[in-house]
Amino acid sequence: MRILMVEASGRGFLCHYAHALSLGLHQEGHGIRLVTGDRDELAGWRVPFPKSACLRSGRQSWRCLRRMVRRYRPEIVHLQWIDNPFLAIGFVLWARRRGVRVVYTPHNILPHRARWLTMPAYRVLYHHVDRIVARDRHIAWGLEEILDAPRRRMVFLPGSPNLLAHPYLHPHHTGAGPAELPGRGPGEFRLLFFGHGCRRKGLQQLFEAVAAGDWPDSIHLVVAGEEVLDGISPEVLARARRSLRVTILNRYLPPQEVAALFESSDLMLMPYVKLCKSPLTDMAAAFRLPVLRSDRVQGARFSDGLHGFTIPHDDAGALRRALRDIVSRPRQLAAMRQAMEREGDIEQSVRRLAQGHSMLYQDLVLSPPRVRDRDRLTLAEEG
């Protein structure tokens, strides 16, 4: 089938997920064309399918997408990210009038900003796309209970493969770590806190926890990500640095550097205060990296004792005790890494996800088109 995969962010998990899914579908024999954001952070990595990066914010993106549909004439358009539900509704109705089926994977059922203002529009959107892919049970529940999405149009396809850990691209990032971060020293135990800056991700609490204890000289805390120190007290950071070695990478990190960080770390820290469904737990599992998370972090698949450990989000003492316990038992982490190896590799995960999507697309193409009066609605439609 001819499938147009659409991912407009061009960065982070969504970008890597769309590339991984496109790679799997290409390997299944489909004609894949990926359209991504103009900030595509994987632009320098060669992939075995055509792709272009013309998507920006606003109407210009949807005009570009319409041009791609006219030129490529796909049977399926699969949207991975929507920033404007009004323009998206117009595009969906435009595409369906041309016999194109539209699939949407909502990695968040509502945007982070103006979510309550845009909720009515998203509810209309969910009633007009041909299929909605839920990556986990929590998303499926939210779609049905909060946004009244039709159950008959939802498909549950779990899996969050990340292309950074895939051997197809592995040669691109081998040894390409951040220049500011020296190589691991003898006996070094490396802790990693990674992600875009947010005051509710618990970094301040983490600094306070480590500042209140004595740590072996072998412990090295690496804090990395764009605006990662947003809202962090300089005094608390200074006290933490007096207790253990801390390296700060306060910038955007390209994919090869992110992969090197995950490969060189012993434990990832996610002491989040906010309730969050994070793909970082799946990414860590792909790199066989155990995670110490708070009970506010949800993952598509996370088993305590296998993928990591869970502690209360509002207990600084529990965080400090858990860190001490884990650092003192490196053999336990080694056993967890071996167990994650036995779970299956990233190539199998990509293959399973692609096969599930293949069945979804085939069902759509073979089923008769829906005819309803409501489908004539033309909200925010462009010529």
Side-chain angles (χ1 to χ4, degrees):
M1 284 177 285
R2 296 184 307 278
I3 302 160
L4 192 63
M5 191 72 63
V6 183
E7 195 288 300
S9 73
R11 292 197 175 188
F13 167 75
L14 289 180
C15 177
H16 302 168
Y17 176 91
H19 277 76
L21 177 56
S22 297
L23 177 62
L25 290 167
H26 168 81
Q27 293 170 339
E28 288 287 306
H30 297 293
I32 288 290
R33 184 176 295 267
L34 174 62
V35 188
T36 187
D38 60 353
R39 303 184 307 164
D40 178 19
E41 67 180 11
L42 299 182
W45 292 10
R46 287 179 294 177
V47 290
F49 48 82
K51 77 169 186 174
S52 58
C54 69
L55 302 182
R56 301 171 184 169
S57 60
R59 294 175 180 270
Q60 198 171 11
S61 289
W62 297 100
R63 293 192 186 104
C64 169
L65 191 54
R66 291 184 187 216
R67 288 195 298 269
M68 297 294 292
V69 170
R70 291 189 186 102
R71 185 183 312 159
Y72 184 48
R73 299 177 62 191
E75 295 159 287
I76 303 287
V77 171
H78 193 152
L79 305 173
Q80 298 288 333
W81 173 251
I82 289 174
D83 62 348
N84 186 317
F86 301 99
L87 296 177
I89 292 167
F91 171 81
V92 169
L93 297 174
W94 175 88
R96 291 187 55 223
R97 283 202 303 270
R98 284 154 180 78
V100 179
R101 309 301 176 89
V102 182
V103 178
Y104 177 35
T105 300
H107 297 274
N108 290 301
I109 64 173
L110 289 168
H112 294 300
R113 297 177 180 176
R115 59 177 57 187
W116 304 122
L117 292 175
T118 57
M119 179 187 283
Y122 275 98
R123 183 171 290 162
V124 172
L125 174 65
Y126 287 124
H127 279 80
H128 281 82
V129 294
D130 292 282
R131 289 291 186 276
I132 308 163
V133 176
R135 291 195 301 106
D136 62 50
R137 300 291 184 188
H138 300 286
I139 289 177
W141 180 91
L143 287 168
E144 186 175 357
E145 294 295 322
I146 299 174
L147 291 169
D148 195 31
R151 180 183 295 182
R152 66 184 180 280
R153 222 166 292 157
M154 281 194 285
V155 181
F156 176 58
L157 291 175
S160 302
N162 193 294
L163 212 54
L164 289 182
H166 197 287
Y168 182 86
L169 293 178
H170 196 276
H172 291 271
H173 65 247
T174 299
E180 313 97 299
L181 186 64
R184 287 172 60 105
E188 178 181 331
F189 190 99
R190 186 170 290 182
L191 306 171
L192 174 64
F193 181 99
F194 172 77
H196 194 282
C198 174
R199 300 186 182 191
R200 301 180 63 205
K201 287 187 176 179
L203 182 58
Q204 175 98 354
Q205 291 85 338
L206 173 62
F207 284 152
E208 290 171 348
V210 299
D214 296 321
W215 304 92
D217 294 337
S218 59
I219 306 301
H220 182 190
L221 172 60
V222 178
V223 177
E226 194 169 12
E227 300 178 8
V228 71
L229 292 182
D230 182 35
I232 302 301
S233 163
E235 292 78 13
V236 173
L237 173 58
R239 286 196 288 114
R241 279 183 152 152
R242 288 195 289 269
S243 294
L244 84 169
R245 180 185 174 193
V246 179
T247 297
I248 305 291
L249 305 176
N250 189 15
R251 62 176 175 83
Y252 165 75
L253 282 84
Q256 64 271 18
E257 295 185 354
V258 174
L261 276 180
F262 276 70
E263 288 178 329
S264 65
S265 298
D266 296 288
L267 181 70
M268 188 165 79
L269 306 176
M270 300 182 69
Y272 288 17
V273 177
K274 69 171 185 174
L275 185 63
C276 177
K277 289 192 61 61
S278 175
L280 284 180
T281 55
D282 291 326
M283 184 172 169
F287 283 99
R288 315 313 184 210
L289 177 62
V291 177
L292 176 61
R293 66 171 187 175
S294 78
D295 54 10
R296 302 288 283 174
V297 177
Q298 299 176 349
R301 61 185 186 98
F302 189 96
S303 298
D304 276 282
L306 172 61
H307 301 109
F309 316 88
T310 304
I311 56 171
H313 69 278
D314 54 355
D315 189 340
L319 173 59
R320 189 164 49 251
R321 290 190 298 272
L323 271 176
R324 285 190 178 281
D325 184 55
I326 295 168
V327 166
S328 66
R329 294 192 292 172
R331 290 184 180 179
Q332 182 183 18
L333 294 183
M336 294 169 70
R337 286 182 181 271
Q338 293 175 358
M340 283 189 274
E341 287 279 357
R342 293 192 292 269
E343 279 194 309
D345 59 27
I346 187 68
E347 291 177 279
Q348 293 174 336
S349 177
V350 168
R351 191 179 306 117
R352 283 194 300 268
L353 191 66
Q355 289 170 348
H357 280 77
S358 291
M359 295 176 62
L360 161 64
Y361 300 150
Q362 290 168 12
D363 176 68
L364 260 183
V365 170
L366 294 175
S367 63
R370 294 180 290 117
V371 178
R372 300 182 303 164
D373 290 339
R374 281 201 300 172
D375 291 343
R376 299 195 182 101
L377 185 64
T378 55
L379 289 180
E381 175 146 24
E382 299 175 50

